[in-house]
Amino acid sequence: MATKHEQILQYIDKLPIGSKISVRQIAKDLDVSEGTAYRAIKEAETQGYVSTIERVGTVRIEKKQKENIERLTFAEVVNIVDGHVLGGREGLHKTLNKFVIGAMQLEAMMRYIDAGSLLLVGNRFQAHKIALQQGAAVLITGGFDTSEEVKQLADRLALPIISSSYDTFTVASMINRAIYDRLIKKEIVMVEDILKPLAETPVLLPSDPVAKWHQYTELYHDTRFPVVDEQMRLIGIVTSKDIIGHEETATVEKVMTKNPITTSPRVSVASSAHTMVWEGIELLPVVDNQRKLVGVLSRNDVLKALQYTAKQPQMSETFPNLIMSHFREERQGDELVYTGEVTPQMTNHLGTIASGIMTTVMAEAGCNLLRNHRRADMVPENITVYFLKPVQMESKIQVRPRLLDISRRFGKVEVSVYQGDVLVGQAMVSAQIIDR
């Protein structure tokens, strides 16, 4: 039987897109406490099918699929730009196809506006009206208001009209940044993208005899199976090691490994791979917040996923890549050297390179050296910075990683940073190697 928490999530999931959601109302309708209702709503928000907007409330929105994750709902735009909704609240769940900056004559502007667009414009009431009539939402920059006629039109057409105190350039930058962030997420492979779903996962019950494990090994050509109770909650796992020395009549409950290591669907594959290598396990059960089994992840699944290495342009927008874009990689004899300049963005309030930036540079240089020795992905496991000296803005520095040790699973690199001939930073980087 489903728990109250699960019942609330199922109830919210069945609500029509655009429905307003209230903690008090859900508590009353489902006869649960307001605390239970609040926790379920927050989880629904985390899962991406509910959005909470200041001064508007909580709205049921369409859950993003992997292929359209870069598309924002108007509800999300309100949160991104710290805006408030002047009209058209019923359309907050809709997604925008593109945004148009209205910095031109009205006639020219309208050529670029179509249904699903978001017009960024100042206090130009006529532009607001025509955009709505063409099926576009409106974001008024500069904190301006609009006319009552436009607000009523927005309500009638269920197209949001939003006001933000930021200027047009800032608003466009914020929306663009949000889209880039989503594109980066799209290219990061998550466990839910590659797991073997529950429908395809053979499971054992604690009351099953060990003989059933033997039947499963012949039928599925595998030796590792999760053990679940009647509610499909994970309670253990059985492998060939657990079976050794036990009669076929013994129950699974007596031989299984209890409380196995698990992961969740919204964890990155790289993180799960780190866990599997570190713990030396071949099968990782995937469970939800209620510990119900949703599938399994095998080492083969992980290795296949890590072969997906085609870099998209937006991936260079991550902070480590942005930092390392200021450094040039070159060979000096047998050495790999990174040469670059300390830009103003890399500094702290004193005008010297920030310690976090320096640590990132050393970690990236160390992992890159290991990648040159092994065609594999690197997960930094331990970074010990034992010497740092202030380096002024616009100084040129050289980063010199030196390989100390490398094995099948781990690598260790010493990284030294020089300004001219002066040593200004030194660290030890240990990384875990995940074969592709």
Side-chain angles (χ1 to χ4, degrees):
M1 183 178 175
T3 64
K4 288 183 178 180
H5 182 85
E6 291 167 339
Q7 289 172 7
I8 298 169
L9 287 175
Q10 291 167 7
Y11 173 81
I12 295 172
D13 190 39
K14 291 175 183 175
L15 288 174
I17 304 297
S19 301
K20 293 283 289 292
I21 298 170
S22 157
V23 170
R24 188 170 297 174
Q25 192 62 45
I26 284 182
K28 182 181 175 183
D29 290 348
L30 299 183
D31 192 25
V32 296
S33 70
E34 290 190 3
T36 303
Y38 175 79
R39 285 190 292 274
I41 289 171
K42 282 298 172 188
E43 181 166 336
E45 194 169 354
T46 301
Q47 292 180 12
Y49 56 93
V50 160
S51 181
T52 301
I53 308 165
E54 192 177 351
R55 295 189 291 273
V56 172
T58 304
V59 183
R60 172 74 167 90
I61 62 172
E62 187 176 358
K63 188 172 182 180
K64 297 274 189 301
Q65 299 302 315
K66 195 77 171 177
E67 57 272 14
N68 74 342
I69 193 171
E70 68 272 18
R71 306 238 326 247
L72 298 170
T73 64
F74 294 119
E76 291 167 314
V77 170
V78 176
N79 288 333
I80 290 164
V81 302
D82 295 329
H84 61 277
V85 183
L86 303 177
R89 283 180 170 80
E90 297 300 317
L92 285 169
H93 65 280
K94 297 176 181 176
T95 57
L96 66 109
N97 299 320
K98 65 177 180 179
F99 65 90
V100 179
I101 297 176
M104 59 193 87
Q105 293 292 329
L106 192 60
E107 295 76 15
M109 188 193 306
M110 291 307 137
R111 289 204 301 268
Y112 298 95
I113 298 173
D114 48 30
S117 300
L118 176 66
L119 175 65
L120 276 55
V121 69
N123 56 341
R124 300 168 64 180
F125 294 178
Q126 191 62 20
H128 304 167
K129 182 178 177 180
I130 295 175
L132 290 169
Q133 289 171 339
Q134 293 192 199
V138 179
L139 201 167
I140 306 170
T141 57
F144 294 109
D145 203 342
T146 189
S147 66
E148 285 302 317
E149 180 191 2
V150 170
K151 291 177 185 177
Q152 290 170 13
L153 180 62
D155 288 337
R156 191 163 66 249
L157 298 175
L159 287 169
I161 185 156
I162 305 159
S163 178
S164 172
S165 59
Y166 294 110
D167 61 79
T168 303
F169 175 80
T170 304
V171 164
S173 299
M174 293 165 92
I175 295 173
N176 201 46
R177 177 70 263 172
I179 291 171
Y180 255 102
D181 286 348
R182 285 171 178 273
L183 285 167
I184 290 169
K185 288 179 185 178
K186 183 178 179 179
E187 296 306 324
I188 295 174
V189 183
M190 309 299 285
V191 167
E192 66 183 358
D193 299 323
I194 67 164
L195 61 76
K196 182 187 289 184
L198 184 59
E200 301 172 17
T201 303
V203 297
L204 291 167
L205 296 173
S207 57
D208 285 336
V210 168
K212 191 166 184 179
W213 176 88
H214 288 289
Q215 292 172 12
Y216 272 20
T217 57
E218 291 181 15
L219 185 60
Y220 298 106
H221 306 290
D222 202 348
T223 59
R224 306 168 190 85
F225 304 103
V227 183
V228 297
D229 62 18
E230 291 178 355
Q231 282 77 43
M232 295 307 291
R233 289 187 176 86
L234 183 75
I235 57 174
I237 194 165
V238 177
T239 70
S240 54
K241 290 180 183 177
D242 301 314
I243 296 300
I244 295 172
H246 292 282
E247 298 290 333
E248 291 198 354
T249 54
T251 61
V252 165
E253 188 174 25
K254 290 183 179 179
V255 304
M256 70 181 184
T257 299
K258 296 179 180 178
N259 301 315
I261 297 165
T262 63
T263 188
S264 81
R266 292 298 299 161
V267 170
S268 72
V269 169
S271 176
S272 296
H274 180 279
T275 301
M276 295 177 85
V277 171
W278 181 254
E279 300 291 343
I281 53 181
E282 298 286 334
L283 189 76
L284 195 58
V286 184
V287 297
D288 64 13
N289 289 344
Q290 307 301 309
R291 207 168 171 77
K292 281 193 174 183
L293 187 70
V294 296
V296 293
L297 192 66
S298 71
R299 186 178 287 238
N300 283 339
D301 295 330
V302 169
L303 293 178
K304 287 177 185 175
L306 292 176
Q307 289 169 358
Y308 175 72
T309 55
K311 268 204 166 188
Q312 303 297 320
Q314 66 272 4
M315 293 302 283
S316 64
E317 287 282 311
T318 59
F319 284 124
N321 282 331
L322 285 171
I323 292 167
M324 292 308 290
S325 68
H326 296 284
F327 288 83
R328 185 179 71 257
E329 180 182 301
E330 56 186 36
R331 283 270 176 196
Q332 293 184 4
D334 294 333
E335 270 192 310
L336 189 65
V337 179
Y338 294 86
T339 306
E341 185 176 297
V342 179
T343 65
Q345 291 174 311
M346 295 181 184
T347 59
N348 55 25
H349 66 289
L350 299 174
T352 61
I353 190 167
S355 57
I357 300 293
M358 181 75 98
T359 302
T360 298
V361 170
M362 291 192 283
E364 289 295 306
C367 286
N368 285 344
L369 180 65
L370 290 172
R371 286 188 194 100
N372 281 359
H373 282 78
R374 291 279 302 275
R375 281 190 58 80
D377 288 297
M378 302 294 156
V379 180
E381 194 156 83
N382 188 22
I383 303 168
T384 306
V385 180
Y386 46 85
F387 179 66
L388 277 181
K389 198 171 181 179
V391 181
Q392 293 297 318
M393 180 174 23
E394 298 182 349
S395 299
K396 288 196 167 41
I397 57 176
Q398 281 193 339
V399 186
R400 297 176 175 270
R402 182 169 65 90
L403 183 67
L404 297 179
D405 187 29
I406 190 166
S407 65
R408 190 170 64 86
R409 288 188 176 181
F410 297 97
K412 187 176 287 186
V413 180
E414 183 183 60
V415 184
S416 303
V417 184
Y418 292 88
Q419 182 184 355
D421 295 328
V422 179
L423 183 68
V424 293
Q426 206 156 24
M428 187 77 70
V429 179
S430 299
Q432 192 177 117
I433 300 168
I434 303 171
D435 288 320
R436 292 175 184 168

